[in-house]
Amino acid sequence: MIQFFALTSSSIPTSGLNFYFDAIWQSNRANQMTSYDRSGNYRQMITFLNGPTVDMSDANGSISLDGTNDLIPTPITVTESASASVVIWMKRTASPVAYAGIFYCRTASGGHVSGLHFGNNIGSHNQKLRYTWNSANFDVETHLTQSLNQWSYVSLSVNATGATFINATQTWGSRRSFRHVTTNNKVSFHIPWIGWDGFSTRYAPIKVGMLLFYHRNISDRESQTIWELTKGRFYGSN
């Protein structure tokens, strides 16, 4: 059964919600290969590049990126924000190249080098989450390994005093977290990508179920609420 998660005050937090990408929504549109926005902001639709595919057999709908050249441009434009948050349900489907981008911005037209990505190719670091923020806090290691072929909930919340990662799978009690206390500069995003960091061959072999981008720092409790309301699609009701 296909599940839809209504955007109401009693479900997914809507305050500051800038962009909401949902693979189920994609699969039910006339043009599947376009990044529709469910946030209610009616952002311009942008066409997928190089062949991401819809897989209706996994999580009632997911988008598969091959790690070779597939990417999804998002219609996000944010200027000089002091805080932001990214929430994604993703599955690593192969071993990524070093620094493969998961959600990343690297443009000359108003965007800073910022986002969520995998690590280098030394040992198993290319299976672990890292983040870069406005080029200053660069390639920060979280030690949060992403298991092969397992759905994973990841939230990254950033503000002026640091960043918080929460990584969960089937149970909230077994979640892992990482807190980076630092000074983060304001950041601008201009059409960041899902699945690429904007440099050479740094594409990520992942499946994406949904991605939410907030123009603010979401709390740990809000992150838990999002996980509670969406994890049934990826792990059933248990």
Side-chain angles (χ1 to χ4, degrees):
M1 179 180 69
I2 292 179
Q3 303 174 31
F4 287 92
F5 302 101
L7 293 179
T8 68
S9 59
S10 62
S11 58
I12 291 177
T14 59
S15 174
L17 181 59
N18 184 284
F19 178 70
Y20 177 13
F21 174 88
D22 190 332
I24 286 180
W25 188 253
Q26 306 298 129
S27 63
N28 283 275
R29 307 303 294 178
N31 180 1
Q32 295 178 342
M33 299 295 99
T34 304
S35 57
Y36 288 92
D37 179 14
R38 291 196 66 196
S39 71
N41 293 320
Y42 305 105
R43 301 197 176 281
Q44 179 182 358
M45 298 176 292
I46 298 179
T47 302
F48 296 1
L49 297 178
N50 305 325
T53 57
V54 175
D55 183 356
M56 290 302 296
S57 67
D58 198 350
N60 285 324
S62 60
I63 305 295
S64 183
L65 307 175
D66 63 9
T68 300
N69 62 1
D70 290 353
L71 69 145
I72 301 173
T74 66
I76 298 169
T77 300
V78 173
T79 303
E80 293 296 313
S81 177
S83 60
S85 302
V86 180
V87 176
I88 184 172
W89 274 100
M90 57 172 279
K91 176 192 287 190
R92 182 174 68 84
T93 57
S95 182
V97 299
Y99 308 115
I102 299 169
F103 176 81
Y104 213 84
C105 181
R106 184 197 299 268
T107 70
S109 53
H112 295 123
V113 178
S114 301
L116 173 65
H117 57 97
F118 288 107
N120 59 37
N121 57 5
I122 299 174
S124 62
H125 287 284
N126 65 340
Q127 302 170 19
K128 297 178 180 180
L129 298 176
R130 296 188 181 187
Y131 88 105
T132 294
W133 207 253
N134 196 0
S135 303
N137 282 303
F138 183 79
D139 193 29
V140 179
E141 173 67 88
T142 70
H143 304 287
L144 299 174
T145 300
Q146 302 304 288
S147 298
L148 183 66
N149 292 323
Q150 181 181 46
W151 281 108
S152 177
Y153 172 88
V154 177
S155 70
L156 165 61
S157 300
V158 182
N159 60 22
T161 60
T164 299
F165 273 84
I166 295 177
N167 186 197
T169 52
Q170 190 167 0
T171 63
W172 191 252
S174 62
R175 72 191 182 280
R176 299 169 297 160
S177 62
F178 172 82
R179 174 66 180 168
H180 183 216
V181 178
T182 186
T183 299
N184 279 314
N185 297 325
K186 291 183 178 181
V187 67
S188 296
F189 282 95
H190 181 71
I191 312 183
W193 309 284
I194 300 173
W196 187 44
D197 93 331
F199 182 80
S200 187
T201 60
R202 294 176 180 174
Y203 296 91
I206 57 176
K207 285 187 174 182
V208 179
M210 61 175 59
L211 181 143
L212 298 91
F213 179 82
Y214 287 87
H215 191 184
R216 66 178 179 88
N217 179 248
I218 64 171
S219 68
D220 292 357
R221 184 65 185 92
E222 287 177 309
S223 183
Q224 182 179 355
T225 295
I226 297 170
W227 174 85
E228 289 172 345
L229 290 165
T230 59
K231 72 110 176 176
R233 173 170 149 197
F234 303 93
Y235 283 103
S237 59
N238 295 324

CSV table of all heavy atoms in Angstrom, one decimal, residues 34-60:
chain,number,residue,atom,x,y,z
A,34,THR,N,11.4,14.4,-12.8
A,34,THR,CA,11.4,15.8,-12.4
A,34,THR,C,11.4,15.9,-10.9
A,34,THR,O,10.6,15.2,-10.3
A,34,THR,CB,10.2,16.5,-13.1
A,34,THR,OG1,10.3,16.3,-14.5
A,34,THR,CG2,10.3,18.0,-12.8
A,35,SER,N,12.2,16.8,-10.3
A,35,SER,CA,12.2,17.0,-8.9
A,35,SER,C,11.0,17.8,-8.4
A,35,SER,O,11.2,19.0,-8.2
A,35,SER,CB,13.5,17.6,-8.4
A,35,SER,OG,13.8,18.8,-9.0
A,36,TYR,N,9.9,17.2,-8.2
A,36,TYR,CA,8.7,17.9,-7.7
A,36,TYR,C,8.9,18.2,-6.2
A,36,TYR,O,9.6,17.5,-5.4
A,36,TYR,CB,7.5,17.0,-7.8
A,36,TYR,CG,7.0,16.9,-9.2
A,36,TYR,CD1,7.4,15.8,-10.0
A,36,TYR,CD2,6.1,17.8,-9.7
A,36,TYR,CE1,7.0,15.7,-11.3
A,36,TYR,CE2,5.6,17.7,-11.0
A,36,TYR,CZ,6.1,16.6,-11.8
A,36,TYR,OH,5.7,16.5,-13.1
A,37,ASP,N,8.3,19.3,-5.8
A,37,ASP,CA,8.5,19.8,-4.4
A,37,ASP,C,7.1,19.7,-3.7
A,37,ASP,O,6.1,20.3,-4.1
A,37,ASP,CB,8.9,21.3,-4.4
A,37,ASP,CG,9.0,21.9,-3.1
A,37,ASP,OD1,9.0,21.2,-2.1
A,37,ASP,OD2,9.1,23.1,-3.0
A,38,ARG,N,7.1,18.9,-2.6
A,38,ARG,CA,5.9,18.7,-1.8
A,38,ARG,C,5.7,19.6,-0.6
A,38,ARG,O,4.8,19.5,0.1
A,38,ARG,CB,5.8,17.3,-1.3
A,38,ARG,CG,5.6,16.2,-2.4
A,38,ARG,CD,5.2,14.9,-1.7
A,38,ARG,NE,3.9,15.0,-1.1
A,38,ARG,CZ,3.4,14.1,-0.2
A,38,ARG,NH1,4.1,13.1,0.2
A,38,ARG,NH2,2.2,14.3,0.3
A,39,SER,N,6.7,20.6,-0.5
A,39,SER,CA,6.6,21.5,0.7
A,39,SER,C,5.5,22.5,0.6
A,39,SER,O,5.2,23.1,1.7
A,39,SER,CB,8.0,22.2,0.8
A,39,SER,OG,8.1,23.2,-0.3
A,40,GLY,N,4.9,22.7,-0.5
A,40,GLY,CA,3.9,23.7,-0.6
A,40,GLY,C,4.4,25.0,-1.1
A,40,GLY,O,3.7,26.0,-1.3
A,41,ASN,N,5.8,25.1,-1.4
A,41,ASN,CA,6.4,26.3,-1.9
A,41,ASN,C,6.3,26.5,-3.4
A,41,ASN,O,6.8,27.5,-3.9
A,41,ASN,CB,7.8,26.4,-1.4
A,41,ASN,CG,7.9,26.5,0.1
A,41,ASN,OD1,7.2,27.3,0.7
A,41,ASN,ND2,8.9,25.8,0.7
A,42,TYR,N,5.9,25.4,-4.0
A,42,TYR,CA,5.7,25.4,-5.5
A,42,TYR,C,6.9,25.9,-6.2
A,42,TYR,O,6.9,26.7,-7.1
A,42,TYR,CB,4.5,26.3,-5.8
A,42,TYR,CG,3.3,25.9,-5.1
A,42,TYR,CD1,2.8,26.7,-4.1
A,42,TYR,CD2,2.5,24.8,-5.5
A,42,TYR,CE1,1.6,26.3,-3.4
A,42,TYR,CE2,1.4,24.4,-4.8
A,42,TYR,CZ,1.0,25.2,-3.7
A,42,TYR,OH,-0.2,24.8,-3.1
A,43,ARG,N,8.1,25.3,-5.9
A,43,ARG,CA,9.3,25.6,-6.5
A,43,ARG,C,9.3,25.1,-8.0
A,43,ARG,O,8.7,24.1,-8.3
A,43,ARG,CB,10.5,25.1,-5.7
A,43,ARG,CG,10.5,25.7,-4.3
A,43,ARG,CD,11.9,25.6,-3.7
A,43,ARG,NE,11.9,26.2,-2.4
A,43,ARG,CZ,12.0,27.5,-2.2
A,43,ARG,NH1,12.1,28.3,-3.2
A,43,ARG,NH2,11.9,28.0,-0.9
A,44,GLN,N,10.2,25.7,-8.8
A,44,GLN,CA,10.3,25.3,-10.2
A,44,GLN,C,10.8,23.8,-10.3
A,44,GLN,O,11.7,23.4,-9.5
A,44,GLN,CB,11.3,26.2,-10.9
A,44,GLN,CG,11.5,25.8,-12.4
A,44,GLN,CD,12.5,26.7,-13.0
A,44,GLN,OE1,13.0,27.7,-12.4
A,44,GLN,NE2,12.8,26.5,-14.3
A,45,MET,N,10.2,23.1,-11.1
A,45,MET,CA,10.6,21.7,-11.3
A,45,MET,C,11.9,21.6,-12.1
A,45,MET,O,12.0,22.4,-13.1
A,45,MET,CB,9.4,20.9,-12.0
A,45,MET,CG,8.2,20.9,-11.2
A,45,MET,SD,6.8,20.0,-12.1
A,45,MET,CE,6.5,21.2,-13.4
A,46,ILE,N,12.7,20.7,-11.7
A,46,ILE,CA,14.0,20.5,-12.4
A,46,ILE,C,14.2,19.1,-12.8
A,46,ILE,O,13.9,18.1,-12.0
A,46,ILE,CB,15.2,21.0,-11.5
A,46,ILE,CG1,15.1,22.5,-11.2
A,46,ILE,CG2,16.5,20.7,-12.2
A,46,ILE,CD1,16.2,23.0,-10.3
A,47,THR,N,14.6,18.8,-14.1
A,47,THR,CA,14.7,17.5,-14.6
A,47,THR,C,15.9,16.7,-14.1
A,47,THR,O,17.0,17.3,-13.9
A,47,THR,CB,14.7,17.5,-16.1
A,47,THR,OG1,13.6,18.2,-16.6
A,47,THR,CG2,14.8,16.1,-16.7
A,48,PHE,N,15.7,15.4,-13.7
A,48,PHE,CA,16.8,14.6,-13.3
A,48,PHE,C,17.8,14.5,-14.5
A,48,PHE,O,17.5,14.6,-15.7
A,48,PHE,CB,16.3,13.2,-13.1
A,48,PHE,CG,15.4,13.0,-11.9
A,48,PHE,CD1,15.0,14.1,-11.1
A,48,PHE,CD2,14.9,11.8,-11.5
A,48,PHE,CE1,14.1,14.0,-10.1
A,48,PHE,CE2,14.0,11.6,-10.5
A,48,PHE,CZ,13.6,12.7,-9.7
A,49,LEU,N,19.1,14.2,-14.1
A,49,LEU,CA,20.1,14.2,-15.1
A,49,LEU,C,20.8,12.8,-15.2
A,49,LEU,O,21.1,12.2,-14.2
A,49,LEU,CB,21.2,15.2,-14.9
A,49,LEU,CG,20.7,16.7,-14.9
A,49,LEU,CD1,21.9,17.6,-14.6
A,49,LEU,CD2,20.2,17.0,-16.3
A,50,ASN,N,21.0,12.3,-16.4
A,50,ASN,CA,21.8,11.1,-16.7
A,50,ASN,C,21.1,9.8,-16.3
A,50,ASN,O,21.8,8.8,-16.3
A,50,ASN,CB,23.2,11.2,-16.1
A,50,ASN,CG,23.9,12.5,-16.6
A,50,ASN,OD1,23.7,12.9,-17.7
A,50,ASN,ND2,24.7,13.1,-15.7
A,51,GLY,N,19.8,9.8,-15.9
A,51,GLY,CA,19.1,8.5,-15.8
A,51,GLY,C,18.8,7.9,-14.5
A,51,GLY,O,18.8,6.7,-14.4
A,52,PRO,N,18.6,8.7,-13.4
A,52,PRO,CA,18.1,8.1,-12.2
A,52,PRO,C,16.8,7.4,-12.5
A,52,PRO,O,16.0,7.8,-13.3
A,52,PRO,CB,17.9,9.3,-11.3
A,52,PRO,CG,18.8,10.3,-11.8
A,52,PRO,CD,18.8,10.2,-13.3
A,53,THR,N,16.6,6.3,-11.8
A,53,THR,CA,15.4,5.4,-12.1
A,53,THR,C,14.5,5.3,-10.9
A,53,THR,O,14.9,5.3,-9.7
A,53,THR,CB,15.8,4.0,-12.6
A,53,THR,OG1,16.6,3.4,-11.6
A,53,THR,CG2,16.5,4.1,-13.9
A,54,VAL,N,13.2,5.2,-11.1
A,54,VAL,CA,12.2,4.9,-10.1
A,54,VAL,C,12.1,3.4,-9.8
A,54,VAL,O,11.9,2.6,-10.8
A,54,VAL,CB,10.8,5.5,-10.5
A,54,VAL,CG1,9.8,5.1,-9.4
A,54,VAL,CG2,10.9,7.0,-10.7
A,55,ASP,N,12.2,3.0,-8.6
A,55,ASP,CA,12.1,1.6,-8.2
A,55,ASP,C,10.9,1.5,-7.3
A,55,ASP,O,11.0,1.8,-6.1
A,55,ASP,CB,13.4,1.2,-7.5
A,55,ASP,CG,13.4,-0.3,-7.1
A,55,ASP,OD1,12.3,-1.0,-7.4
A,55,ASP,OD2,14.4,-0.8,-6.6
A,56,MET,N,9.8,1.0,-7.8
A,56,MET,CA,8.6,0.9,-7.0
A,56,MET,C,8.6,-0.4,-6.1
A,56,MET,O,7.8,-0.5,-5.3
A,56,MET,CB,7.4,0.8,-7.9
A,56,MET,CG,7.1,2.1,-8.6
A,56,MET,SD,6.8,3.5,-7.5
A,56,MET,CE,5.3,2.9,-6.7
A,57,SER,N,9.6,-1.2,-6.3
A,57,SER,CA,9.7,-2.4,-5.5
A,57,SER,C,10.4,-2.2,-4.1
A,57,SER,O,10.4,-3.1,-3.3
A,57,SER,CB,10.4,-3.5,-6.3
A,57,SER,OG,11.8,-3.2,-6.4
A,58,ASP,N,10.9,-1.1,-3.9
A,58,ASP,CA,11.7,-0.8,-2.7
A,58,ASP,C,11.1,0.4,-1.9
A,58,ASP,O,11.0,1.5,-2.5
A,58,ASP,CB,13.1,-0.5,-3.0
A,58,ASP,CG,14.1,-0.7,-1.8
A,58,ASP,OD1,13.6,-0.8,-0.7
A,58,ASP,OD2,15.3,-0.6,-2.0
A,59,ALA,N,10.6,0.2,-0.7
A,59,ALA,CA,10.0,1.2,0.1
A,59,ALA,C,8.8,1.9,-0.5
A,59,ALA,O,8.6,3.1,-0.3
A,59,ALA,CB,11.1,2.2,0.5
A,60,ASN,N,8.1,1.1,-1.3
A,60,ASN,CA,6.9,1.7,-2.0
A,60,ASN,C,7.3,2.8,-3.0
A,60,ASN,O,6.4,3.5,-3.4
A,60,ASN,CB,5.8,2.2,-1.0
A,60,ASN,CG,5.1,1.1,-0.3
A,60,ASN,OD1,4.8,0.0,-0.9
A,60,ASN,ND2,4.8,1.2,0.9
